[in-house]
Coordinates of all heavy atoms in Angstrom, one line a residue:
M24 N 99.7 141.6 115.5 CA 98.7 141.2 116.5 C 97.4 140.6 115.7 O 97.0 141.1 114.7 CB 98.2 142.4 117.3 CG 97.3 142.1 118.4 SD 96.8 143.5 119.4 CE 98.3 143.8 120.3
K25 N 96.8 139.6 116.4 CA 95.7 139.0 115.8 C 94.5 140.0 115.8 O 94.3 140.7 116.8 CB 95.3 137.7 116.6 CG 94.7 136.6 115.8 CD 94.6 135.4 116.7 CE 95.9 134.7 116.8 NZ 95.8 133.3 117.4
T26 N 93.6 139.9 114.8 CA 92.4 140.7 114.8 C 91.2 139.8 114.8 O 91.3 138.6 114.6 CB 92.4 141.6 113.6 OG1 92.3 140.8 112.4 CG2 93.6 142.5 113.5
F27 N 90.0 140.4 114.9 CA 88.8 139.6 114.8 C 88.7 138.9 113.4 O 88.5 137.7 113.4 CB 87.6 140.5 114.9 CG 86.3 139.8 115.2 CD1 85.9 139.3 116.4 CD2 85.4 139.5 114.1 CE1 84.7 138.6 116.6 CE2 84.2 138.8 114.3 CZ 83.9 138.4 115.6
D28 N 89.1 139.6 112.4 CA 89.0 139.0 111.0 C 90.1 137.9 110.9 O 89.8 136.9 110.3 CB 89.2 140.1 110.0 CG 88.0 140.9 109.8 OD1 87.3 141.2 110.8 OD2 87.7 141.3 108.6
S29 N 91.3 138.2 111.4 CA 92.4 137.2 111.2 C 92.1 135.9 112.0 O 92.4 134.8 111.6 CB 93.8 137.7 111.4 OG 93.9 138.0 112.8
L30 N 91.5 136.1 113.2 CA 91.1 134.9 114.0 C 90.0 134.1 113.2 O 90.1 132.9 113.2 CB 90.6 135.3 115.4 CG 90.2 134.1 116.3 CD1 91.4 133.2 116.6 CD2 89.6 134.6 117.6
F31 N 89.1 134.8 112.7 CA 88.0 134.1 112.0 C 88.6 133.3 110.8 O 88.2 132.2 110.5 CB 86.9 135.1 111.5 CG 85.7 134.4 111.0 CD1 84.7 134.0 112.0 CD2 85.4 134.2 109.7 CE1 83.6 133.4 111.6 CE2 84.2 133.6 109.3 CZ 83.3 133.1 110.3
A32 N 89.5 133.9 110.1 CA 90.2 133.2 109.0 C 90.9 132.0 109.5 O 90.8 130.9 108.9 CB 91.2 134.1 108.2
E33 N 91.6 132.1 110.6 CA 92.3 131.0 111.2 C 91.3 129.8 111.6 O 91.5 128.7 111.3 CB 93.1 131.4 112.4 CG 94.0 130.4 113.0 CD 94.8 131.0 114.2 OE1 94.7 132.2 114.5 OE2 95.4 130.2 114.9
L34 N 90.2 130.2 112.2 CA 89.2 129.2 112.7 C 88.5 128.6 111.5 O 88.2 127.4 111.5 CB 88.2 129.8 113.6 CG 88.7 130.5 114.9 CD1 87.6 130.8 115.9 CD2 89.7 129.6 115.6
T35 N 88.3 129.4 110.4 CA 87.7 128.8 109.2 C 88.6 127.7 108.6 O 88.2 126.7 108.2 CB 87.5 129.9 108.2 OG1 86.6 130.9 108.7 CG2 86.9 129.4 106.9
E36 N 89.9 128.0 108.7 CA 90.9 127.0 108.2 C 90.9 125.8 109.1 O 90.9 124.7 108.5 CB 92.3 127.7 108.1 CG 93.4 126.9 107.4 CD 94.2 126.1 108.4 OE1 94.1 126.3 109.6 OE2 94.8 125.1 107.9
R37 N 90.8 126.0 110.4 CA 90.7 124.8 111.3 C 89.5 123.9 110.9 O 89.6 122.7 110.9 CB 90.6 125.3 112.7 CG 91.8 125.9 113.3 CD 92.9 124.9 113.6 NE 94.0 125.5 114.5 CZ 94.9 126.4 114.1 NH1 94.9 126.8 112.9 NH2 95.7 126.8 115.0
A38 N 88.4 124.6 110.7 CA 87.1 123.9 110.4 C 87.3 123.1 109.1 O 86.7 122.0 109.0 CB 86.0 124.9 110.3
A39 N 88.0 123.6 108.2 CA 88.2 123.0 106.9 C 89.2 121.8 106.9 O 88.9 120.7 106.3 CB 88.6 124.0 105.8
T40 N 90.3 122.0 107.7 CA 91.4 121.0 107.6 C 91.3 120.0 108.8 O 92.0 119.0 108.8 CB 92.7 121.7 107.6 OG1 92.9 122.5 108.8 CG2 92.9 122.6 106.4
K41 N 90.6 120.4 109.9 CA 90.4 119.6 111.1 C 91.7 119.0 111.6 O 91.8 117.8 111.7 CB 89.4 118.5 110.8 CG 88.0 118.9 110.4 CD 87.1 117.8 110.3 CE 85.6 118.1 110.1 NZ 85.3 119.3 109.3
P42 N 92.7 119.9 112.0 CA 93.9 119.3 112.5 C 93.7 118.6 113.9 O 92.8 119.1 114.7 CB 94.8 120.5 112.7 CG 93.9 121.7 112.8 CD 92.7 121.3 111.9
E43 N 94.4 117.6 114.1 CA 94.3 116.9 115.4 C 94.7 117.8 116.5 O 95.7 118.6 116.4 CB 95.3 115.7 115.4 CG 94.8 114.5 116.3 CD 95.6 113.3 116.0 OE1 95.8 112.9 114.9 OE2 96.0 112.6 117.0
G44 N 94.0 117.7 117.6 CA 94.3 118.5 118.8 C 93.7 119.9 118.8 O 93.9 120.6 119.8
S45 N 93.0 120.3 117.8 CA 92.4 121.6 117.8 C 91.2 121.7 118.7 O 90.2 120.9 118.5 CB 92.0 122.0 116.3 OG 91.2 123.1 116.3
G46 N 91.2 122.6 119.6 CA 90.0 122.8 120.4 C 88.9 123.4 119.6 O 87.7 123.1 120.0
T47 N 89.2 124.1 118.6 CA 88.1 124.6 117.7 C 87.4 123.5 117.0 O 86.1 123.5 117.0 CB 88.7 125.6 116.7 OG1 89.5 126.6 117.4 CG2 87.6 126.2 115.9
V48 N 88.1 122.5 116.5 CA 87.5 121.4 115.9 C 86.6 120.7 116.8 O 85.4 120.4 116.5 CB 88.5 120.5 115.3 CG1 87.9 119.2 114.8 CG2 89.3 121.1 114.2
A49 N 87.1 120.5 118.1 CA 86.2 119.8 119.1 C 85.0 120.6 119.4 O 83.9 120.1 119.5 CB 87.1 119.6 120.4
A50 N 85.2 121.9 119.5 CA 84.0 122.8 119.8 C 83.0 122.8 118.7 O 81.8 122.8 118.9 CB 84.5 124.2 120.1
L51 N 83.5 122.7 117.5 CA 82.5 122.7 116.3 C 81.8 121.3 116.3 O 80.6 121.3 116.0 CB 83.3 122.9 115.0 CG 83.8 124.3 114.8 CD1 84.7 124.4 113.6 CD2 82.6 125.3 114.6
E52 N 82.5 120.3 116.6 CA 81.9 119.0 116.6 C 80.9 118.8 117.7 O 80.0 118.0 117.7 CB 83.0 117.9 116.7 CG 83.7 117.7 115.3 CD 84.9 116.8 115.3 OE1 85.3 116.3 116.4 OE2 85.4 116.5 114.2
A53 N 81.0 119.6 118.8 CA 80.1 119.5 119.9 C 78.7 120.1 119.6 O 77.8 119.8 120.3 CB 80.7 120.3 121.1
G54 N 78.6 120.9 118.5 CA 77.3 121.3 118.1 C 76.9 122.7 118.6 O 77.5 123.2 119.5
V55 N 75.8 123.2 118.0 CA 75.4 124.6 118.3 C 74.9 124.8 119.7 O 75.2 125.8 120.3 CB 74.3 125.0 117.2 CG1 73.6 126.3 117.7 CG2 74.9 125.2 115.9
H56 N 74.3 123.8 120.3 CA 73.8 123.9 121.6 C 75.0 124.1 122.6 O 75.0 125.1 123.4 CB 73.1 122.6 122.1 CG 72.5 122.7 123.4 ND1 71.3 123.3 123.7 CD2 72.9 122.2 124.6 CE1 71.0 123.2 125.0 NE2 72.0 122.6 125.6
A57 N 76.0 123.3 122.5 CA 77.2 123.5 123.3 C 78.0 124.8 123.0 O 78.4 125.5 123.9 CB 78.2 122.3 123.1
Q58 N 78.0 125.2 121.7 CA 78.6 126.4 121.3 C 77.9 127.6 122.0 O 78.5 128.6 122.5 CB 78.7 126.6 119.8 CG 79.6 125.5 119.1 CD 79.1 125.2 117.7 OE1 78.3 125.9 117.1 NE2 79.6 124.1 117.2
G59 N 76.6 127.6 122.0 CA 75.8 128.6 122.5 C 76.0 128.7 124.0 O 76.1 129.8 124.6
K60 N 76.1 127.6 124.7 CA 76.3 127.6 126.2 C 77.7 128.3 126.5 O 77.8 129.0 127.5 CB 76.3 126.2 126.7 CG 74.9 125.6 126.9 CD 74.9 124.2 127.3 CE 75.3 124.0 128.7 NZ 75.3 122.5 129.1
K61 N 78.7 128.0 125.7 CA 80.0 128.6 125.9 C 79.9 130.1 125.7 O 80.6 130.9 126.4 CB 81.0 128.0 124.9 CG 81.6 126.7 125.4 CD 82.4 126.9 126.6 CE 83.1 125.6 127.0 NZ 83.8 125.8 128.3
V62 N 79.1 130.6 124.7 CA 79.0 132.0 124.6 C 78.4 132.6 125.8 O 78.9 133.6 126.3 CB 78.1 132.3 123.3 CG1 77.7 133.8 123.3 CG2 78.8 132.0 122.0
L63 N 77.3 132.0 126.3 CA 76.7 132.5 127.5 C 77.6 132.5 128.7 O 77.7 133.5 129.5 CB 75.4 131.6 127.8 CG 74.4 132.2 128.7 CD1 73.9 133.6 128.2 CD2 73.2 131.2 128.8
E64 N 78.4 131.4 128.9 CA 79.3 131.3 130.0 C 80.4 132.4 129.9 O 80.7 133.1 130.9 CB 80.0 129.9 129.9 CG 81.0 129.5 131.0 CD 81.6 128.2 130.6 OE1 80.9 127.2 130.3 OE2 82.9 128.1 130.7
E65 N 80.9 132.6 128.7 CA 82.0 133.6 128.6 C 81.4 135.0 128.8 O 82.1 135.9 129.3 CB 82.7 133.5 127.2 CG 83.6 132.3 127.1 CD 84.7 132.2 128.2 OE1 85.0 133.3 128.8 OE2 85.2 131.1 128.4
A66 N 80.2 135.2 128.3 CA 79.5 136.5 128.5 C 79.4 136.8 130.0 O 79.6 137.9 130.5 CB 78.2 136.6 127.8
G67 N 79.0 135.8 130.8 CA 78.9 136.0 132.2 C 80.2 136.3 132.8 O 80.3 137.2 133.7
E68 N 81.3 135.7 132.4 CA 82.6 135.9 132.9 C 83.1 137.4 132.5 O 83.8 138.0 133.3 CB 83.6 134.9 132.4 CG 83.3 133.5 133.1 CD 84.2 132.4 132.6 OE1 85.2 132.6 131.9 OE2 83.9 131.2 132.9
V69 N 82.7 137.8 131.4 CA 83.0 139.2 131.0 C 82.3 140.2 132.0 O 82.9 141.1 132.4 CB 82.6 139.5 129.5 CG1 82.6 141.0 129.2 CG2 83.5 138.8 128.6
W70 N 81.0 139.9 132.2 CA 80.3 140.8 133.1 C 80.9 140.8 134.5 O 81.1 141.9 135.1 CB 78.8 140.2 133.2 CG 77.9 141.0 134.1 CD1 78.0 142.2 134.6 CD2 76.6 140.5 134.5 NE1 77.0 142.5 135.4 CE2 76.1 141.5 135.4 CE3 75.9 139.3 134.3 CZ2 74.8 141.3 136.0 CZ3 74.7 139.2 134.9 CH2 74.1 140.2 135.8
I71 N 81.2 139.7 135.0 CA 81.8 139.6 136.4 C 83.2 140.4 136.4 O 83.5 141.1 137.3 CB 82.1 138.1 136.8 CG1 80.7 137.4 136.9 CG2 82.8 138.1 138.2 CD1 79.8 137.9 137.9
A72 N 84.0 140.1 135.3 CA 85.3 140.7 135.3 C 85.1 142.3 135.2 O 85.9 143.0 135.7 CB 86.1 140.2 134.1
A73 N 84.1 142.7 134.4 CA 83.9 144.2 134.3 C 83.6 144.8 135.6 O 84.0 145.9 135.9 CB 82.8 144.4 133.3
E74 N 82.9 144.1 136.4 CA 82.5 144.7 137.7 C 83.6 144.6 138.8 O 83.8 145.4 139.6 CB 81.2 144.0 138.2 CG 80.0 144.4 137.4 CD 78.7 144.5 138.2 OE1 78.7 144.1 139.4 OE2 77.7 144.9 137.7
Y75 N 84.3 143.4 138.8 CA 85.2 143.1 139.9 C 86.7 142.9 139.6 O 87.4 142.7 140.5 CB 84.6 141.9 140.6 CG 83.2 142.1 141.1 CD1 82.2 141.3 140.5 CD2 82.9 143.0 142.1 CE1 80.8 141.5 141.0 CE2 81.6 143.1 142.6 CZ 80.6 142.4 142.0 OH 79.3 142.6 142.4
E76 N 87.0 142.8 138.4 CA 88.4 142.3 138.1 C 89.2 143.4 137.3 O 88.7 144.4 136.9 CB 88.4 141.0 137.4 CG 87.8 139.9 138.3 CD 87.6 138.5 137.7 OE1 88.2 138.3 136.7 OE2 86.9 137.7 138.3
S77 N 90.5 143.1 137.1 CA 91.4 144.1 136.5 C 91.1 144.2 135.0 O 90.4 143.4 134.4 CB 92.8 143.6 136.6 OG 93.0 142.4 135.8
D78 N 91.7 145.3 134.4 CA 91.5 145.5 133.0 C 92.1 144.4 132.2 O 91.6 144.0 131.2 CB 92.3 146.8 132.6 CG 91.6 148.1 133.0 OD1 90.4 148.0 133.6 OD2 92.2 149.2 132.9
E79 N 93.2 143.8 132.7 CA 93.9 142.7 132.0 C 93.0 141.5 132.0 O 92.8 140.8 131.0 CB 95.2 142.4 132.7 CG 96.0 141.4 131.9 CD 97.4 141.2 132.5 OE1 97.8 142.0 133.4 OE2 98.1 140.2 132.1
K80 N 92.4 141.2 133.2 CA 91.5 140.0 133.2 C 90.2 140.2 132.4 O 89.8 139.3 131.7 CB 91.1 139.8 134.7 CG 90.2 138.6 134.9 CD 90.9 137.2 134.6 CE 90.0 136.1 134.9 NZ 90.5 134.8 134.3
L81 N 89.7 141.4 132.4 CA 88.5 141.7 131.6 C 88.9 141.6 130.1 O 88.1 141.0 129.3 CB 88.1 143.2 131.9 CG 86.9 143.7 131.0 CD1 85.7 142.8 131.1 CD2 86.6 145.1 131.4
S82 N 90.1 142.1 129.7 CA 90.5 142.0 128.3 C 90.6 140.5 127.9 O 90.1 140.1 126.8 CB 91.8 142.7 128.1 OG 91.7 144.0 128.4
E83 N 91.1 139.7 128.8 CA 91.2 138.2 128.5 C 89.9 137.6 128.3 O 89.6 136.8 127.4 CB 92.0 137.6 129.6 CG 92.3 136.1 129.3 CD 93.0 135.4 130.5 OE1 93.5 136.1 131.4 OE2 92.9 134.1 130.5
E84 N 89.0 137.9 129.2 CA 87.6 137.4 129.1 C 86.9 137.8 127.8 O 86.2 137.0 127.2 CB 86.8 137.7 130.3 CG 87.3 137.2 131.7 CD 87.2 135.6 131.7 OE1 86.7 135.0 130.8 OE2 87.8 135.1 132.7
I85 N 87.1 139.1 127.5 CA 86.5 139.6 126.2 C 87.0 138.8 125.0 O 86.3 138.4 124.1 CB 86.7 141.1 126.1 CG1 85.8 141.8 127.1 CG2 86.3 141.6 124.7 CD1 86.1 143.3 127.2
S86 N 88.4 138.5 125.0 CA 88.9 137.8 123.9 C 88.3 136.4 123.8 O 88.1 135.9 122.7 CB 90.5 137.7 124.1 OG 90.9 136.7 125.0
Q87 N 88.1 135.8 125.0 CA 87.5 134.5 125.0 C 86.0 134.5 124.5 O 85.6 133.6 123.8 CB 87.6 133.8 126.3 CG 89.0 133.5 126.7 CD 89.1 132.8 128.1 OE1 88.2 132.5 128.7 NE2 90.4 132.6 128.4
L88 N 85.3 135.6 124.8 CA 83.9 135.7 124.3 C 84.0 135.9 122.8 O 83.1 135.3 122.1 CB 83.3 136.9 125.0 CG 81.8 137.2 124.5 CD1 80.9 136.0 124.7 CD2 81.3 138.5 125.3
L89 N 84.9 136.7 122.3 CA 85.0 136.9 120.8 C 85.3 135.6 120.1 O 84.7 135.2 119.1 CB 86.1 137.9 120.5 CG 85.8 139.3 121.0 CD1 87.0 140.2 120.6 CD2 84.5 139.9 120.4
Y90 N 86.2 134.8 120.7 CA 86.5 133.5 120.2 C 85.2 132.6 120.2 O 84.9 131.9 119.2 CB 87.6 132.8 121.0 CG 87.8 131.3 120.7 CD1 88.5 130.9 119.6 CD2 87.2 130.3 121.5 CE1 88.6 129.6 119.3 CE2 87.4 129.0 121.2 CZ 88.1 128.6 120.1 OH 88.2 127.3 119.8
R91 N 84.5 132.6 121.3 CA 83.3 131.7 121.4 C 82.2 132.2 120.4 O 81.5 131.3 119.9 CB 82.8 131.7 122.8 CG 83.7 131.0 123.8 CD 83.8 129.5 123.5 NE 84.8 128.8 124.3 CZ 85.2 127.6 124.1 NH1 84.7 126.9 123.1 NH2 86.1 127.0 124.9
L92 N 82.1 133.5 120.2 CA 81.1 133.9 119.2 C 81.5 133.5 117.8 O 80.7 133.1 117.0 CB 81.1 135.5 119.2 CG 80.3 136.1 120.4 CD1 80.5 137.6 120.4 CD2 78.8 135.8 120.3
Q93 N 82.8 133.5 117.5 CA 83.3 133.0 116.2 C 83.0 131.5 116.0 O 82.6 131.1 114.9 CB 84.8 133.3 116.0 CG 85.0 134.8 115.9 CD 86.3 135.2 115.2 OE1 87.1 134.3 114.9 NE2 86.5 136.5 115.0
V94 N 83.2 130.8 117.1 CA 83.0 129.3 117.0 C 81.5 129.1 116.6 O 81.1 128.3 115.8 CB 83.4 128.6 118.2 CG1 82.9 127.2 118.2 CG2 84.9 128.6 118.4
L95 N 80.6 129.9 117.3 CA 79.2 129.8 117.1 C 78.8 130.2 115.6 O 78.0 129.5 115.0 CB 78.4 130.6 118.1 CG 76.9 130.5 118.0 CD1 76.4 129.1 118.3 CD2 76.2 131.5 118.9
M96 N 79.5 131.2 115.2 CA 79.2 131.7 113.8 C 79.6 130.6 112.8 O 78.8 130.2 111.9 CB 80.1 132.9 113.5 CG 79.6 134.2 114.1 SD 80.8 135.5 113.9 CE 80.7 135.8 112.1
L97 N 80.7 129.9 113.0 CA 81.2 128.9 112.2 C 80.2 127.7 112.3 O 79.9 127.0 111.3 CB 82.6 128.4 112.5 CG 83.7 129.4 112.0 CD1 85.0 129.2 112.6 CD2 83.8 129.4 110.5
G98 N 79.8 127.4 113.5 CA 78.9 126.3 113.8 C 77.6 126.4 113.0 O 77.0 125.4 112.5
R99 N 77.1 127.7 112.9 CA 75.9 128.0 112.1 C 76.2 128.3 110.6 O 75.3 128.5 109.9 CB 75.2 129.1 112.7 CG 74.3 128.7 114.0 CD 73.2 127.8 113.6 NE 72.4 128.5 112.5 CZ 71.3 129.2 112.7 NH1 70.9 129.5 113.9 NH2 70.7 129.8 111.7
G100 N 77.4 128.3 110.2 CA 77.8 128.5 108.8 C 77.7 130.0 108.4 O 77.6 130.3 107.2
L101 N 77.8 130.9 109.4 CA 77.8 132.3 109.1 C 79.2 132.8 108.7 O 80.2 132.3 109.1 CB 77.3 133.2 110.3 CG 75.9 132.9 110.8 CD1 75.6 133.9 111.9 CD2 74.9 133.1 109.7
T102 N 79.2 133.9 107.8 CA 80.4 134.5 107.5 C 80.5 135.9 108.2 O 79.5 136.3 108.8 CB 80.5 134.8 106.0 OG1 79.4 135.8 105.7 CG2 80.2 133.6 105.1
L103 N 81.7 136.5 108.1 CA 81.8 137.8 108.7 C 80.9 138.8 108.1 O 80.3 139.6 108.8 CB 83.3 138.3 108.5 CG 84.3 137.6 109.4 CD1 85.7 138.1 109.0 CD2 84.1 137.7 110.9
E104 N 80.7 138.7 106.8 CA 79.8 139.6 106.0 C 78.4 139.5 106.5 O 77.7 140.5 106.6 CB 79.9 139.3 104.5 CG 81.2 139.7 103.8 CD 82.4 138.8 104.3 OE1 82.1 137.6 104.6 OE2 83.5 139.3 104.3
D105 N 77.9 138.3 106.9 CA 76.6 138.1 107.4 C 76.3 138.9 108.6 O 75.2 139.5 108.8 CB 76.3 136.6 107.8 CG 76.3 135.7 106.6 OD1 75.8 136.1 105.5 OD2 76.7 134.5 106.7
V106 N 77.4 139.1 109.4 CA 77.2 139.8 110.7 C 77.5 141.3 110.4 O 76.8 142.2 110.9 CB 78.2 139.3 111.7 CG1 78.2 140.1 113.0 CG2 77.8 137.8 112.1
Y107 N 78.6 141.6 109.7 CA 79.0 143.0 109.5 C 78.0 143.9 108.8 O 77.9 145.1 109.0 CB 80.3 143.0 108.7 CG 81.6 142.6 109.4 CD1 82.8 142.6 108.8 CD2 81.5 142.2 110.8 CE1 83.9 142.2 109.5 CE2 82.7 141.8 111.4 CZ 83.9 141.8 110.8 OH 85.0 141.4 111.4
K108 N 77.1 143.2 108.0 CA 76.1 144.1 107.3 C 75.1 144.7 108.3 O 74.4 145.6 107.9 CB 75.4 143.2 106.3 CG 74.4 142.2 106.8 CD 73.8 141.4 105.7 CE 72.9 140.3 106.2 NZ 72.5 139.3 105.1
Y109 N 75.1 144.2 109.6 CA 74.2 144.8 110.5 C 74.9 145.9 111.4 O 74.3 146.5 112.3 CB 73.6 143.8 111.4 CG 72.6 142.9 110.7 CD1 73.0 141.6 110.3 CD2 71.4 143.3 110.3 CE1 72.1 140.7 109.6 CE2 70.5 142.5 109.5 CZ 70.9 141.2 109.2 OH 70.0 140.4 108.5
L110 N 76.2 146.0 111.3 CA 77.0 146.9 112.1 C 76.7 148.4 111.7 O 76.5 148.6 110.5 CB 78.5 146.6 112.1 CG 78.9 145.3 112.7 CD1 80.4 145.1 112.5 CD2 78.6 145.2 114.2
Ligands
PRT5 N1 91.5 132.5 121.0 C1 91.3 131.3 121.3 C2 90.5 130.9 122.5 N2 89.9 131.7 123.4 C3 89.4 130.8 124.3 N3 89.7 129.5 123.9 C4 89.3 128.3 124.6 O1 88.5 128.6 125.7 C5 89.1 128.1 126.9 C6 88.9 129.1 128.0 O2 87.6 129.1 128.2 P1 87.0 128.7 129.6 O3 86.9 129.9 130.4 O4 85.7 128.0 129.3 O5 88.0 127.7 130.2 P2 87.9 126.2 130.5 O6 86.5 125.9 131.0 O7 89.0 125.8 131.4 O8 88.1 125.5 129.1 P3 87.5 124.3 128.4 O9 87.5 123.2 129.5 O10 86.1 124.7 128.0 O11 88.3 124.0 127.2 C7 90.6 127.9 126.5 O12 91.2 127.0 127.3 C8 90.5 127.5 125.1 O13 90.2 126.1 125.0 C9 90.4 129.6 122.8 N4 90.9 128.6 122.0 C10 91.6 129.0 120.9 N5 91.8 130.3 120.5 C11 92.6 130.6 119.3 O14 92.0 129.9 118.2 C12 93.0 129.5 117.3 C13 92.8 128.0 117.0 O15 93.0 127.2 118.2 P4 92.9 125.6 118.1 O16 91.6 125.3 117.5 O17 93.0 125.2 119.5 O18 94.1 125.2 117.3 C14 94.3 129.8 118.0 O19 94.8 131.0 117.4 C15 94.0 130.0 119.4 O20 94.8 131.0 120.0

C-alpha cells in the first residue's frame, strides 16, 4: 500500500522527469498560488465529508488533501524532513 513517504518519493520523481500526461507535473507548473487553492478546496471537501458523508468518501477526500499538500511542498521546494521536524 502507498504511504505518505512513498507518494512523496513518486511525486518527486515526477517533478524531476516530467513525464507526459502527469497531473502532478501540470499542477507543479501551475504555480504555488494554484497549488494553495487546491489545498484549500480539498480541505473544504474533507470538512464537508467529515460532517455529512461516509467513512469511505471521507478517506478518499483525505487522500486527495494529502496529495495536494505534497504538491504544494514540492512547489515550494520543501522536503519531508522540513515538515517532519515539527511533528
Ligand atoms: N494521489 C493522487 C491524487 N489525488 C488527487 N489527485 C488529483 O486530484 C483530482 C481530484 O481532485 P478534485 O476533487 O479537485 O477533482 P477535479 O476538480 O475533478 O480534478 P481536477 O479538474 O482538478 O484535475 C484527481 O482527478 C487527480 O487529478 C491525484 N493525482 C495523482 N495522485 C497520485 O500521484 C501519483 C502521480 O500521478 P500523476 O502525476 O498523475 O502521474 C500517482 O500515484 C497518483 O495516484
Side-chain angles (χ1 to χ4, degrees):
M24 185 179 285
K25 209 171 286 189
T26 65
F27 193 84
D28 286 37
S29 68
L30 178 64
F31 194 79
E33 190 181 347
L34 301 191
T35 300
E36 188 268 341
R37 292 286 197 285
T40 61
K41 297 184 172 38
E43 204 168 317
S45 165
T47 304
V48 171
L51 289 171
E52 285 172 352
V55 166
H56 183 82
Q58 293 154 16
K60 282 175 71 178
K61 278 293 185 185
V62 168
L63 199 56
E64 183 185 313
E65 288 304 338
E68 289 176 13
V69 166
W70 177 16
I71 299 295
E74 289 211 357
Y75 302 112
E76 295 175 17
S77 67
D78 286 355
E79 191 175 345
K80 182 65 177 166
L81 174 58
S82 299
E83 184 185 346
E84 295 296 354
I85 290 172
S86 80
Q87 293 183 1
L88 178 58
L89 295 179
Y90 169 78
R91 292 296 174 187
L92 284 171
Q93 293 202 351
V94 170
L95 183 65
M96 286 171 66
L97 287 165
R99 280 292 309 268
L101 296 183
T102 64
L103 289 176
E104 291 69 31
D105 290 326
V106 174
Y107 286 178
K108 70 183 178 190
Y109 293 106
L110 294 178

